[in-house]
């Protein structure tokens, strides 16, 4: 079982977890707790082999706020933006994490990837001459997580 700040991250019909669907930015991770062995009693039926808890709430000193911004780009029209902010003031504590990842992916003709493209694609009704991988391998991920604490009230939300 995989958890982010103690919240289970199952994502589909089979109760599995995919790092692709929950892209926690490395800049937001404070620590990772790994518990090996059967933990179903504590974490539920998906923790048969153990549990991985990704902790994003980094402790800061009282009256302190720490924020970071990271922007990058690269080949295949890749863009990445990460914003993290953590703070503490008396009884109020918060952590806000945001990341955006995009790349257009490879744009190559399928003829470079398959030796006998006509016999493979034409029976399926796909044109073989000009077919490329454009828009097949794009990556567009967004991640937002907010954790807040005020006295005995805890809030944990993510998208």
């Amino acid at each position: 079982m995989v958890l982010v700040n103690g919240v289970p991250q199952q994502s589909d019909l089979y109760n599995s977890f995919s790092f692709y669907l929950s892209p926690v930015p490395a800049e937001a991770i404070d620590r990772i707790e790994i518990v090996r062995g059967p933990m179903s009693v504590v974490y539920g039926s998906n923790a048969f082999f153990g549990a991985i808890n990704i902790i994003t709430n980094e402790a800061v000193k009282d009256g302190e706020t720490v924020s970071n911004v990271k922007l990058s780009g690269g080949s295949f029209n890749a863009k990445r933006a990460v914003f993290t902010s953590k703070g503490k003031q008396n009884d109020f504590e918060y952590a806000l994490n945001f990341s955006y990842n995009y790349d257009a992916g490879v744009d190559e003709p399928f003829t470079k990837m398959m030796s006998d493209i006509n016999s493979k694609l034409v029976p399926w009704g796909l044109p073989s001459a000009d077919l490329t991988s454009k828009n097949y391998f794009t990556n567009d991920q967004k991640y937002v997580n907010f954790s807040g604490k005020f006295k005995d009230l805890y809030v944990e939300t993510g998208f």
Side-chain angles (χ1 to χ4, degrees), residues 2-7 9 17 19 22-33 52-60 66-68 82-87 93-99 143-148 155-159:
V2 177
L3 305 102
V4 175
N5 295 329
V7 178
Q9 300 295 306
F17 172 78
F19 283 101
S22 182
V24 179
E27 295 84 357
I29 297 174
D30 180 42
R31 67 185 183 278
I32 299 175
E33 299 172 346
I52 300 171
N53 190 11
I54 301 170
I55 307 294
T56 63
N57 301 333
E58 181 180 310
V60 293
V66 177
S67 297
N68 294 308
V82 177
F83 172 76
T84 61
S85 181
K86 299 164 181 68
E93 243 179 278
Y94 79 93
L96 174 66
N97 303 302
F98 166 80
S99 73
Y143 175 83
V144 178
N145 175 270
F146 175 78
S147 301
V155 174
E156 178 75 38
T157 184
F159 169 75

Side-chain angles (χ1 to χ4, degrees), residues 104-140:
V106 179
D107 182 14
E108 293 289 336
F110 281 121
T111 54
K112 287 179 80 175
M113 299 178 210
M114 299 174 71
S115 59
D116 191 14
I117 193 164
N118 289 325
S119 66
K120 305 277 193 237
L121 297 179
V122 173
W124 292 93
L126 298 172
S128 61
D130 299 326
L131 193 61
T132 69
S133 62
K134 184 176 183 176
N135 297 327
Y136 280 96
F137 302 111
T138 59
N139 177 22
D140 189 5

